[in-house]
Amino acid sequence: MLLRLKIHSFNYLSALILLLVTICSSIDSFAQTVDTTVAPAAVLPGVYADPNIAVFNNKFYIYPTTDGSEGWLSTSFTCWSSANLVKWKNEGVILDLPHDLTWADKRAWAPAIAVKNNKYYYYYAADGNIGVAVSDKPTGPFKDALGKPLVKKGSYPGQMIDPMVFMDDDGAAYLYFGQGQCNAVKLNDDMVSFDTAKMISFKPSGYNEGPFVIKRKGIYYLMWSEYDTRDPRYSVAYATSSSPLGPFKKAETGPVLKGSGVVKGAGHHSVVQVPGKDEWYIAYHRFKIPGGNGYNRETCISSMHFDANGNILPVNVFEKIKPVKLKR
């Protein structure tokens, strides 16, 4: 009996040692395959943040915040285009606050774009308000649509920044915005007004700013950034719903986008689907490498994947994306 116990103990110990060796080997293998000291180059040259990525007429576009000033005091917006997500062309300034607006001249932040009835509507933050401009082309130039803010500073809880417009399959448009609190409302058909009585405000656990909505297989995904953009822990989480206005249930998993190693402050994202495919890419900013911080950020793109249950999988910020061909 004693011999049998000794044999069983020996077998258990051997199995435990083998398991530990396997785990250590797996960790070592991961470390060898993912070098966290070297990250892919940013897709846009220079410092740009808060990228809104979109696809129109077989071409990709990025609409970012111009970065590089303490306090984020930029005064204009640019547009970038690409045929393959890898090589990007600067289309120049598409909206200049001092020149094109009468109600704000600085703090040009976090734009977004949507198209309806062959018109392109450009939503943006300007000095703590949300404005909307319109153009016949995705590259602008854009003209102020209202002569005043679409959402005035102090109108709702939180800061009136970080607008995003989601276009549903039925053509309905929904506006999301807010730092500190998420605000959401269905836009009127003119894309430049909404029923103020129908505005909803809510705050998912961990929510700070940068709301962004996508729809996949009938499920609405509300994504947002957590922590402050100056914090290396800046990251992206999400919740799901069967309705574009919620209620939303936060995913039980951790952030789907976060920094690691040399990558710091990965967040304030947007997502684009390759037309006709279940293929998704996430654009976001990180601290500039090297020497970046919350005022010197650069724009990156990674692929984004879902598991069989529709959960968004963690994004690999060290992946180098390959050129994407669009059907013509």
Side-chain angles (χ1 to χ4, degrees), residues 40 43 53 85 256-257 263 266 270-272 280-284 286 299-305 314-322:
V43 295
I53 191 168
L85 278 185
V256 293
L257 174 69
V263 175
S270 59
V271 176
V272 69
W280 303 77
Y281 291 87
I282 183 169
Y284 55 95
R286 69 187 183 203
T299 291
C300 305
I301 298 175
S302 299
S303 61
M304 193 178 84
H305 305 277
V315 173
N316 179 7
V317 294
F318 296 97
E319 173 193 19
K320 184 177 181 180
I321 63 169
K322 298 178 181 179

Side-chain angles (χ1 to χ4, degrees), residues 110-301:
I113 194 165
V115 61
K116 188 170 185 177
N117 298 326
N118 297 316
K119 294 284 186 181
Y120 294 87
Y121 295 90
Y122 188 71
Y123 304 84
Y124 57 92
D127 205 17
N129 307 274
I130 291 175
V132 56
V134 63
S135 176
D136 294 326
K137 301 184 298 181
T139 54
F142 286 84
K143 294 184 178 181
D144 186 9
L146 298 173
K148 62 180 181 180
L150 172 63
V151 183
K152 191 175 181 180
K153 184 187 303 183
S155 298
Y156 301 99
Q159 287 195 74
M160 307 299 98
I161 61 173
D162 299 352
M164 181 271 166
V165 171
F166 166 72
M167 300 296 300
D168 210 343
D169 302 330
D170 60 1
Y174 296 86
L175 172 69
Y176 304 81
F177 64 91
Q179 188 273 336
Q181 190 89 356
C182 185
N183 304 288
V185 70
K186 183 178 180 181
L187 287 171
N188 293 329
D189 287 340
D190 62 9
M191 297 292 283
V192 297
S193 65
F194 56 85
D195 185 345
T196 57
K198 295 183 178 180
M199 180 71 71
I200 62 172
S201 296
F202 57 101
K203 186 174 183 177
S205 175
Y207 178 91
N208 182 39
E209 61 189 9
F212 196 89
V213 173
I214 61 171
K215 184 180 182 180
R216 178 181 182 267
K217 297 185 177 181
I219 300 298
Y220 297 88
Y221 295 76
L222 170 66
M223 308 174 74
W224 64 83
S225 291
E226 302 190 334
Y227 298 102
D228 185 90
T229 190
R230 292 162 290 190
D231 191 324
R233 297 174 297 172
Y234 198 55
S235 50
V236 172
Y238 77 96
T240 56
S241 176
S242 58
S243 164
L245 294 176
F248 289 93
K249 181 181 179 181
K250 187 175 182 179
E252 295 180 357
T253 56
V256 293
L257 174 69
K258 64 178 182 178
S260 176
V262 71
V263 175
K264 308 291 185 184
H268 204 121
H269 76 299
S270 59
V271 176
V272 69
Q273 179 182 9
V274 177
K277 297 182 179 181
D278 189 24
E279 186 175 341
W280 303 77
Y281 291 87
I282 183 169
Y284 55 95
H285 69 238
R286 69 187 183 203
F287 288 5
K288 184 180 182 298
I289 302 175
N293 54 32
Y295 301 109
N296 291 278
R297 302 161 296 179
E298 56 190 5
T299 291
C300 305
I301 298 175

